[in-house]
Every structure is written in C-alpha cells, then in structure tokens.
Amino acid sequence: MDLITIEGLRLRCVIGCKPEERRDRSDVVIDLTVAADATAAGNSDDLADAWDYRAAAKAVIADVESSQCFTVEALAVRVARIVVCGQGAPWARVRVRKPGALRFADSAGLVIERTPADFAKAEQTP
C-alpha cells in the first residue's frame, strides 16, 4: 500500500462547546495519511495517473474553515468523509489537533481511520 501524506494544515474554524469557543474561530491542525496506488503515476510520471492531493486539500480547507463543530471527533469525521467519499481514497487516517486546548500541553486531539465501508454503515443506521 502506498501512502500520501499531507501534514500540518493549519486552519481556523468554530470548534468547542464553551460560549467563547462558539463566538470566535479557533486554530486546528490537520494531518492526513491517505492510501493510494502510486504505481501508475510512478511509472508514467503523469499527474493524470496520480491521486489529486491538491484537490483533496482544497476541499478539506473549504469545509473546515466553514464548519462549526462542537468536538474534534465530529471535525475529524467530516474531514475523513471528504477524503474518502468526496476524493475517492480507499483509506484515510485523519489527525485533528487543537493547539492550546489544555493547559501545559501543546495540543489535544484525535486520530481516526476510515474507509468507504465506514460511511456506508453510517448511512444505513437510522
């Protein structure tokens, strides 16, 4: 399995439960690891054969910056859905960190892994 990484997307969004967190946008840092078969692009050296990480990053940026999640869990799932369902990745690991969320810590966050099957299950659940 080949892995594409996008590290350190520094974005701002509404995230959190406290009134001050809902009023002002906060910093979040997102790291993505995406499974992709790089064989064709590696052999042809043609962008048309590669997974389009630029389009994926743009989609994530647009969605996150307009989001208003209460939890980093919900934000991570949104990002995974974009990458897996919207951009066709067969598997993604999403790490979302909220700098300054805890005193004495650089950040607090979450890492999730998702496949298309995870979102198909969610759609079937009433």
Side-chain angles (χ1 to χ4, degrees), residues 2 4 36-53:
D2 303 318
I4 294 172
D37 185 352
T39 305
N43 290 331
S44 70
D45 198 23
D46 187 343
L47 284 175
D49 293 332
W51 188 75
D52 192 347
Y53 60 84

Side-chain angles (χ1 to χ4, degrees), residues 23-97:
R23 182 183 62 238
D24 300 321
R25 296 190 324 154
S26 298
D27 294 331
V28 293
V29 180
I30 298 173
D31 301 318
L32 302 173
T33 303
V34 178
D37 185 352
T39 305
N43 290 331
S44 70
D45 198 23
D46 187 343
L47 284 175
D49 293 332
W51 188 75
D52 192 347
Y53 60 84
R54 181 181 296 263
K58 284 183 176 183
V60 168
I61 291 166
D63 187 79
V64 169
E65 290 192 335
S66 66
S67 68
Q68 295 191 15
C69 296
F70 287 95
T71 65
V72 293
E73 292 86 348
L75 185 61
V77 170
R78 285 175 73 111
V79 171
R81 183 177 283 114
I82 290 166
V83 174
V84 170
C85 298
Q87 300 297 316
W91 171 89
R93 176 182 295 135
V94 177
R95 179 181 182 195
V96 176
R97 293 174 282 151

Side-chain angles (χ1 to χ4, degrees), residues 12 15 40 45 59:
R12 295 185 56 78
I15 188 163
D45 198 23

Side-chain angles (χ1 to χ4, degrees), residues 82-120:
I82 290 166
V83 174
V84 170
C85 298
Q87 300 297 316
W91 171 89
R93 176 182 295 135
V94 177
R95 179 181 182 195
V96 176
R97 293 174 282 151
K98 191 174 174 186
L102 293 175
R103 189 174 176 198
F104 304 120
D106 291 338
S107 65
L110 170 77
V111 177
I112 66 169
E113 295 181 2
R114 295 293 186 272
T115 68
D118 294 312
F119 295 107

